[in-house]
Amino acid sequence: DGFREFAVARCDFNSTDSKDIRLIYSMFYNKLEYARFDSSVGRFVGYTEFGVKNAERWNNGPEVVQMRNEKDRYCVHNVGIDYQAALTKS
């Protein structure tokens, strides 16, 4: 019983080159994705009425700049580590 809200951040990559790395940050409510930030799009996109309203607010505020910087801080940094670890194990 009850409601569940959660977010998932993932980094999709083919190499350690920054242009080949993509951050996707998805927000869910009761298993339904209502909004997403995709670094290849560069902004938030809403998928429900609630998500569209919030995406518009986030795209006009400091949140969009913060998420654009997250690709470098979170993905680019960790992909370099993960990529080297995968190569040494293969």
Side-chain angles (χ1 to χ4, degrees):
D1 290 1
F3 301 99
R4 182 172 299 241
E5 182 172 19
F6 63 97
V8 175
R10 74 177 197 256
C11 303
D12 293 342
F13 61 96
N14 293 327
S15 74
T16 57
D17 188 351
S18 180
K19 68 179 174 51
D20 292 332
I21 299 172
R22 181 175 158 198
L23 168 67
I24 300 171
Y25 184 83
S26 299
M27 291 158 275
F28 296 85
Y29 182 75
N30 282 355
K31 300 180 186 176
L32 178 66
E33 185 177 20
Y34 66 87
R36 173 187 293 185
F37 176 85
D38 185 335
S39 65
S40 65
V41 175
R43 64 185 185 90
F44 289 92
V45 176
Y47 298 110
T48 66
E49 183 180 346
F50 177 74
V52 169
K53 288 179 183 177
N54 279 288
E56 184 178 330
R57 183 172 55 86
W58 295 328
N59 287 328
N60 291 318
E63 294 87 355
V64 73
V65 175
Q66 185 178 24
M67 287 304 292
R68 288 175 184 157
N69 292 331
E70 283 298 292
K71 175 186 167 184
D72 290 328
R73 189 195 69 77
Y74 181 71
C75 289
V76 174
H77 172 74
N78 288 315
V79 162
I81 296 167
D82 295 343
Y83 198 77
Q84 288 305 315
L87 290 177
T88 59
K89 299 207 188 297
S90 59

